[in-house]
Amino acid sequence: MSCCVGASLAEPLAISPRWQASFLGTTGEQQFETTAVAMTGDSILVVVMVPGADLTRLKLQLGNRSIPFKVIGHDPVSRLGFIGVEGSVTPKANPWAAEAGANFSSILQSMEPEGPAKCQTTGWVKQVGGKVFPLALLRATFSRNVPPPGTPLMDGAARVVGIVFQTAGVGNVGYVIPAEAVHRVQQDICKGGRLNRGWLGLSLLAGSRVPGICRVFPNSPASAAGIRPNDQLLSIGLRQVSDYADAVNAFFYLIPGQPVRVKLLRDADQFEFTVTPTSSKG
């Protein structure tokens, strides 16, 4: 369902002065920049790690003012990093949406240094050029150039529904990490310093249009639940699975120790199993 930004709706917090993280590269002195976005209820900021950026060589600024911080950790798969603000400055955050939504398509505001700008999300991107993403991203078209990585996108209720990941390389189109992915990564990074991936113990044929299971590992959660090779996945939790890329996205959100309902097709019959993921094997 589309939602439009109107003057009668909640107003987002001003982007100026802007929280900005500058990184030096792991090789050489190339500098990378990302907008830092405050998470709700604490002094934690999330940033997008541009390829080649080194989180240990970071400088945090609020406008032109350098701010002390501590590195909490980052996830190399989603490229999300989290830092804690220290000292007397407390970041002010807009509330975050729990998720962008399974069929999300909306008019949003991107909160940029030059001021708010409209953008339109146009669906989910699961793969590009045959390469499957480790999690699905939103595609967004901006009213001007794609803003810097980390730039927050707000809905009509002034909630952050995602942050800019990178440009798509075509016109004013960019990719956006949805809010649910940020929450998923933050939960583990802020607790233990790394993303603890859930593991069901099943394999699918990479790139297959049909999400058929080709292997069930012995002594795995999937094996214990009764899932078999040649079963076809239909859904994992609330996420529908229609192809291999859908399954990869659903696997990203599995939490070790948290049971999930798995629906599948076996021959002509549908079955549902409750499976409790364990920690990833690698």
Side-chain angles (χ1 to χ4, degrees):
M1 180 177 179
S2 296
C3 60
C4 296
V5 178
S8 61
L9 299 177
E11 291 293 332
L13 295 172
I15 195 66
S16 181
R18 170 186 175 227
W19 287 94
Q20 177 179 305
S22 302
F23 306 89
L24 290 177
T26 53
T27 59
E29 296 301 314
Q30 185 176 4
Q31 184 166 297
F32 305 89
E33 293 184 355
T34 173
T35 297
V37 185
M39 303 301 297
T40 305
D42 48 36
S43 294
I44 295 174
L45 302 173
V46 60
V47 297
V48 175
M49 298 292 295
V50 180
D54 185 352
L55 190 61
T56 65
R57 307 176 73 190
L58 179 151
K59 180 180 180 181
L60 179 66
Q61 291 182 281
L62 177 60
N64 295 323
R65 177 183 175 187
S66 293
I67 302 295
F69 65 92
K70 63 178 179 180
V71 174
I72 299 173
H74 82 285
D75 169 43
V77 173
S78 64
R79 293 183 8 211
L80 293 174
F82 294 86
I83 55 181
V85 177
E86 298 184 326
S88 59
V89 178
T90 301
K92 294 181 179 179
N94 279 85
W96 281 68
E99 60 179 22
N103 300 301
F104 196 80
S105 179
S106 182
I107 297 174
L108 304 173
Q109 282 192 95
S110 59
M111 301 307 297
E112 305 174 28
E114 298 83 3
K118 285 188 177 182
C119 65
Q120 170 76 52
T121 56
T122 56
W124 293 94
V125 181
K126 300 179 289 184
Q127 58 185 331
V128 172
K131 181 179 179 181
V132 175
F133 291 168
L135 70 155
L137 303 174
L138 282 166
R139 181 191 291 109
T141 300
F142 295 85
S143 59
R144 49 197 184 211
N145 291 338
V146 178
T151 299
L153 270 60
M154 323 292 292
D155 66 9
R159 300 178 305 172
V160 180
V161 297
I163 56 177
V164 174
F165 186 64
Q166 66 180 46
T167 177
V170 180
N172 294 343
V173 180
Y175 298 141
V176 176
I177 302 179
E180 56 264 39
V182 179
H183 295 314
R184 172 68 186 94
V185 178
Q186 181 196 15
Q187 174 179 308
D188 283 355
I189 296 296
C190 293
K191 181 186 299 183
R194 67 180 185 88
L195 182 63
N196 190 13
R197 301 290 296 272
W199 183 74
L200 297 180
L202 52 83
S203 292
L204 282 70
L205 185 62
S208 174
R209 291 187 177 182
V210 177
I213 297 169
C214 60
R215 181 182 181 188
V216 177
F217 288 82
N219 304 314
S220 66
S223 175
I227 297 176
R228 303 174 187 172
N230 299 318
D231 288 344
Q232 180 180 327
L233 287 172
L234 299 177
S235 65
I236 300 176
L238 298 177
R239 291 180 168 83
Q240 300 300 307
V241 176
S242 60
D243 55 23
Y244 174 78
D246 282 337
V248 171
N249 181 60
F251 291 156
F252 178 84
Y253 292 96
L254 294 175
I255 299 174
Q258 187 172 109
V260 64
R261 296 290 292 175
V262 176
K263 182 184 293 185
L264 53 82
L265 183 67
R266 179 177 298 166
D267 297 324
D269 299 317
Q270 290 189 14
F271 294 87
E272 281 195 18
F273 299 89
T274 298
V275 188
T276 301
T278 59
S279 293
S280 174
K281 300 299 181 181

mmCIF file of all heavy atoms in Angstrom, residues 234-251:
data_model
loop_
_atom_site.group_PDB
_atom_site.id
_atom_site.type_symbol
_atom_site.label_atom_id
_atom_site.label_comp_id
_atom_site.label_asym_id
_atom_site.label_seq_id
_atom_site.Cartn_x
_atom_site.Cartn_y
_atom_site.Cartn_z
ATOM 1 N N LEU A 234 8.364 -23.707 0.180
ATOM 2 C CA LEU A 234 7.298 -22.762 -0.147
ATOM 3 C C LEU A 234 7.394 -21.495 0.697
ATOM 4 O O LEU A 234 7.093 -20.399 0.216
ATOM 5 C CB LEU A 234 5.924 -23.414 0.045
ATOM 6 C CG LEU A 234 5.630 -24.635 -0.819
ATOM 7 C CD1 LEU A 234 4.267 -25.217 -0.451
ATOM 8 C CD2 LEU A 234 5.670 -24.276 -2.299
ATOM 9 N N SER A 235 7.797 -21.643 1.954
ATOM 10 C CA SER A 235 7.969 -20.479 2.828
ATOM 11 C C SER A 235 8.853 -20.851 4.007
ATOM 12 O O SER A 235 8.927 -22.012 4.415
ATOM 13 C CB SER A 235 6.622 -19.941 3.333
ATOM 14 O OG SER A 235 5.976 -20.881 4.162
ATOM 15 N N ILE A 236 9.533 -19.829 4.532
ATOM 16 C CA ILE A 236 10.329 -19.963 5.756
ATOM 17 C C ILE A 236 9.883 -18.835 6.665
ATOM 18 O O ILE A 236 10.101 -17.660 6.359
ATOM 19 C CB ILE A 236 11.834 -19.880 5.473
ATOM 20 C CG1 ILE A 236 12.268 -20.999 4.514
ATOM 21 C CG2 ILE A 236 12.626 -19.955 6.773
ATOM 22 C CD1 ILE A 236 13.725 -20.915 4.105
ATOM 23 N N GLY A 237 9.226 -19.175 7.764
ATOM 24 C CA GLY A 237 8.614 -18.143 8.590
ATOM 25 C C GLY A 237 7.534 -17.430 7.801
ATOM 26 O O GLY A 237 6.699 -18.064 7.155
ATOM 27 N N LEU A 238 7.560 -16.106 7.784
ATOM 28 C CA LEU A 238 6.572 -15.316 7.058
ATOM 29 C C LEU A 238 7.032 -14.979 5.644
ATOM 30 O O LEU A 238 6.310 -14.310 4.907
ATOM 31 C CB LEU A 238 6.281 -14.019 7.819
ATOM 32 C CG LEU A 238 5.679 -14.184 9.226
ATOM 33 C CD1 LEU A 238 5.504 -12.813 9.884
ATOM 34 C CD2 LEU A 238 4.354 -14.917 9.166
ATOM 35 N N ARG A 239 8.219 -15.457 5.249
ATOM 36 C CA ARG A 239 8.769 -15.122 3.943
ATOM 37 C C ARG A 239 8.453 -16.214 2.927
ATOM 38 O O ARG A 239 8.825 -17.372 3.100
ATOM 39 C CB ARG A 239 10.280 -14.897 4.043
ATOM 40 C CG ARG A 239 10.621 -13.630 4.810
ATOM 41 C CD ARG A 239 12.114 -13.397 4.921
ATOM 42 N NE ARG A 239 12.352 -12.049 5.407
ATOM 43 C CZ ARG A 239 12.317 -11.704 6.698
ATOM 44 N NH1 ARG A 239 12.062 -12.616 7.614
ATOM 45 N NH2 ARG A 239 12.537 -10.447 7.057
ATOM 46 N N GLN A 240 7.770 -15.818 1.855
ATOM 47 C CA GLN A 240 7.451 -16.749 0.788
ATOM 48 C C GLN A 240 8.715 -17.057 -0.020
ATOM 49 O O GLN A 240 9.571 -16.186 -0.229
ATOM 50 C CB GLN A 240 6.380 -16.158 -0.130
ATOM 51 C CG GLN A 240 5.074 -15.825 0.579
ATOM 52 C CD GLN A 240 4.439 -17.039 1.225
ATOM 53 O OE1 GLN A 240 4.231 -18.063 0.586
ATOM 54 N NE2 GLN A 240 4.119 -16.918 2.510
ATOM 55 N N VAL A 241 8.825 -18.284 -0.472
ATOM 56 C CA VAL A 241 9.996 -18.724 -1.223
ATOM 57 C C VAL A 241 9.541 -19.240 -2.583
ATOM 58 O O VAL A 241 8.848 -20.256 -2.664
ATOM 59 C CB VAL A 241 10.767 -19.824 -0.468
ATOM 60 C CG1 VAL A 241 11.935 -20.337 -1.308
ATOM 61 C CG2 VAL A 241 11.263 -19.309 0.882
ATOM 62 N N SER A 242 9.916 -18.526 -3.628
ATOM 63 C CA SER A 242 9.537 -18.954 -4.975
ATOM 64 C C SER A 242 10.736 -19.344 -5.818
ATOM 65 O O SER A 242 10.582 -19.952 -6.879
ATOM 66 C CB SER A 242 8.749 -17.846 -5.688
ATOM 67 O OG SER A 242 9.526 -16.675 -5.803
ATOM 68 N N ASP A 243 11.943 -18.988 -5.356
ATOM 69 C CA ASP A 243 13.145 -19.365 -6.091
ATOM 70 C C ASP A 243 14.324 -19.406 -5.122
ATOM 71 O O ASP A 243 14.194 -19.151 -3.927
ATOM 72 C CB ASP A 243 13.413 -18.415 -7.262
ATOM 73 C CG ASP A 243 13.501 -16.952 -6.843
ATOM 74 O OD1 ASP A 243 13.781 -16.676 -5.661
ATOM 75 O OD2 ASP A 243 13.287 -16.075 -7.696
ATOM 76 N N TYR A 244 15.491 -19.724 -5.666
ATOM 77 C CA TYR A 244 16.702 -19.853 -4.844
ATOM 78 C C TYR A 244 17.024 -18.547 -4.116
ATOM 79 O O TYR A 244 17.382 -18.555 -2.931
ATOM 80 C CB TYR A 244 17.872 -20.273 -5.733
ATOM 81 C CG TYR A 244 19.208 -20.305 -5.034
ATOM 82 C CD1 TYR A 244 19.552 -21.363 -4.194
ATOM 83 C CD2 TYR A 244 20.128 -19.275 -5.214
ATOM 84 C CE1 TYR A 244 20.784 -21.395 -3.549
ATOM 85 C CE2 TYR A 244 21.365 -19.294 -4.569
ATOM 86 C CZ TYR A 244 21.688 -20.357 -3.748
ATOM 87 O OH TYR A 244 22.902 -20.382 -3.095
ATOM 88 N N ALA A 245 16.894 -17.403 -4.805
ATOM 89 C CA ALA A 245 17.228 -16.113 -4.198
ATOM 90 C C ALA A 245 16.312 -15.805 -3.018
ATOM 91 O O ALA A 245 16.751 -15.218 -2.017
ATOM 92 C CB ALA A 245 17.148 -15.003 -5.234
ATOM 93 N N ASP A 246 15.038 -16.183 -3.108
ATOM 94 C CA ASP A 246 14.122 -16.005 -1.978
ATOM 95 C C ASP A 246 14.588 -16.803 -0.767
ATOM 96 O O ASP A 246 14.492 -16.352 0.379
ATOM 97 C CB ASP A 246 12.713 -16.462 -2.351
ATOM 98 C CG ASP A 246 11.956 -15.447 -3.192
ATOM 99 O OD1 ASP A 246 12.303 -14.254 -3.145
ATOM 100 O OD2 ASP A 246 11.016 -15.857 -3.889
ATOM 101 N N ALA A 247 15.070 -18.025 -1.019
ATOM 102 C CA ALA A 247 15.543 -18.867 0.075
ATOM 103 C C ALA A 247 16.774 -18.249 0.743
ATOM 104 O O ALA A 247 16.879 -18.226 1.973
ATOM 105 C CB ALA A 247 15.863 -20.271 -0.433
ATOM 106 N N VAL A 248 17.705 -17.736 -0.069
ATOM 107 C CA VAL A 248 18.896 -17.095 0.479
ATOM 108 C C VAL A 248 18.503 -15.928 1.375
ATOM 109 O O VAL A 248 19.046 -15.743 2.477
ATOM 110 C CB VAL A 248 19.824 -16.619 -0.659
ATOM 111 C CG1 VAL A 248 20.950 -15.748 -0.111
ATOM 112 C CG2 VAL A 248 20.401 -17.812 -1.408
ATOM 113 N N ASN A 249 17.546 -15.115 0.928
ATOM 114 C CA ASN A 249 17.083 -13.984 1.729
ATOM 115 C C ASN A 249 16.447 -14.463 3.035
ATOM 116 O O ASN A 249 16.703 -13.899 4.103
ATOM 117 C CB ASN A 249 16.076 -13.162 0.933
ATOM 118 C CG ASN A 249 15.564 -11.958 1.693
ATOM 119 O OD1 ASN A 249 16.317 -11.080 2.081
ATOM 120 N ND2 ASN A 249 14.254 -11.923 1.930
ATOM 121 N N ALA A 250 15.625 -15.489 2.974
ATOM 122 C CA ALA A 250 14.975 -16.015 4.184
ATOM 123 C C ALA A 250 16.006 -16.573 5.158
ATOM 124 O O ALA A 250 15.878 -16.406 6.377
ATOM 125 C CB ALA A 250 13.957 -17.087 3.807
ATOM 126 N N PHE A 251 17.036 -17.239 4.644
ATOM 127 C CA PHE A 251 18.079 -17.797 5.508
ATOM 128 C C PHE A 251 18.800 -16.691 6.282
ATOM 129 O O PHE A 251 19.236 -16.902 7.419
ATOM 130 C CB PHE A 251 19.106 -18.581 4.682
ATOM 131 C CG PHE A 251 18.577 -19.858 4.079
ATOM 132 C CD1 PHE A 251 19.171 -20.396 2.946
ATOM 133 C CD2 PHE A 251 17.488 -20.519 4.637
ATOM 134 C CE1 PHE A 251 18.690 -21.570 2.383
ATOM 135 C CE2 PHE A 251 16.995 -21.697 4.085
ATOM 136 C CZ PHE A 251 17.604 -22.216 2.954
#
